[in-house]
Amino acid sequence: MYYFEDTKKKLHKDELILPSSAMMYDGVHIEKIIAGYRTLAVTGREMLSVNIETEESQIGSIKTNQTLPARVIKVTYQLIGKDAEELQKKYHKLMQVLYTEEEVEIRFKDAFDYHYYGQYMSTDEVRGDTNSIISSFELLCKDPRKYSRLFKSDGDIVSYLPYLVTPEKIEVEIRNVGGLMVTNGTEQISCTSRNFQQGDKVVFDFKMGKVFLNKVDQTFLLDLASDFENFYLRQGQTISSNNGNITISYREVLL
């Protein structure tokens, strides 16, 4: 749990009213839009257990599979209104803020350089006859990992990457007429069925699973032998292209 609240002087007045573990949910600090709301504690951001499947052997067991479970983050908060009726209105507003049908970016003030992707899942029951409550709700992060700010590189991967990372995008500005191949030294992605023109801009968008040529979806150009789904970044690698200047956009991933 995180109960510590920094009392040091801040540069921005707004930060004086935010608890150290205040949550930014889909770009919004709830404290700033619902008067009387305050984050008290956050759990679920600590070390993550690993699911290990085994089969018994003559001596001990043999590991057959290892997976990472989803992460559940629990936010404990206080909500105050002038009376029970106003409190209910604030709950309606809180639900409007938290309810989404898609995952959103989730950040916390005490680790603002990193974020999770998740969405509101459940809440504790609360009394309906009071103007001040302490309760909690849970956020489900199907992907339990947390992500750093976006890094960009022209080839060398020098960031600390303790785990395999999939790039978000690889952009290539074509140098000469001809095909295109990008490699990390192990896997490669290529488009050899088309002669690109000097100055063309090719984008391998790994989040969307598509290839764009001058901002137009041209995924059909991707060679079938390309390791598009298995193209990972590792610390110390050099990503190179046979035909153009490249820019790799990626994020550090931590558990």
Side-chain angles (χ1 to χ4, degrees), residues 44-46 48 69-73 116 139-141 144-145 255:
R45 296 186 291 162
E46 301 80 11
L48 189 69
R71 183 185 295 274
V72 176
I73 297 176
Y116 301 90
L139 309 168
L140 174 65
C141 301
R145 298 167 295 181
L255 293 180

Side-chain angles (χ1 to χ4, degrees), residues 25 72-75 77 95 98-99 119-125 135-140:
Y25 188 82
V72 176
I73 297 176
K74 184 176 182 178
V75 178
Y77 65 94
M95 195 66 197
L98 292 177
Y99 179 79
Q119 63 186 113
Y120 168 80
M121 179 175 66
S122 63
T123 185
D124 288 341
E125 291 187 7
S135 187
S136 64
F137 55 81
E138 292 183 328
L139 309 168
L140 174 65

Side-chain angles (χ1 to χ4, degrees), residues 14-60:
D14 283 348
E15 293 195 10
L16 291 173
I17 64 172
L18 290 178
S20 61
S21 56
M23 177 181 67
M24 178 176 279
Y25 188 82
D26 197 16
V28 173
H29 277 114
I30 302 176
E31 280 89 348
K32 292 186 178 182
I33 60 173
I34 301 180
Y37 175 94
R38 188 170 183 81
T39 304
L40 299 180
V42 177
T43 58
R45 296 186 291 162
E46 301 80 11
M47 294 175 64
L48 189 69
S49 298
V50 178
N51 291 333
I52 297 178
E53 299 175 15
T54 62
E55 290 183 358
E56 292 186 1
S57 63
Q58 287 185 331
I59 300 176

Side-chain angles (χ1 to χ4, degrees), residues 9 16 26-27 41 45-46 48 56 60 95 105 131 143 155 160 167 169 172 184 214 216 228 235 243 246 250 255:
K9 184 177 180 181
L16 291 173
D26 197 16
R45 296 186 291 162
E46 301 80 11
L48 189 69
E56 292 186 1
M95 195 66 197
E105 189 175 284
N131 68 328
D143 179 350
Y160 173 65
K169 290 181 182 179
V172 185
N184 60 10
N214 299 325
V216 177
F228 196 74
Q235 185 176 359
N243 188 12
I246 64 175
Y250 66 98
L255 293 180

Side-chain angles (χ1 to χ4, degrees), residues 6 29 55 92 137 143 149 170 182 220 229 240:
D6 194 351
H29 277 114
E55 290 183 358
H92 293 159
F137 55 81
D143 179 350
R149 63 180 175 84
I170 296 180
V182 175
F220 67 89
E229 295 181 353
S240 60

Side-chain angles (χ1 to χ4, degrees), residues 149-182:
R149 63 180 175 84
L150 193 66
F151 292 98
K152 292 197 174 185
S153 170
D154 58 3
D156 293 330
I157 307 301
V158 298
S159 304
Y160 173 65
L161 300 179
Y163 309 101
L164 293 178
V165 171
T166 301
E168 292 199 0
K169 290 181 182 179
I170 296 180
E171 303 169 74
V172 185
E173 184 173 351
I174 299 298
R175 184 185 304 117
N176 303 307
V177 175
L180 172 64
M181 185 270 292
V182 175

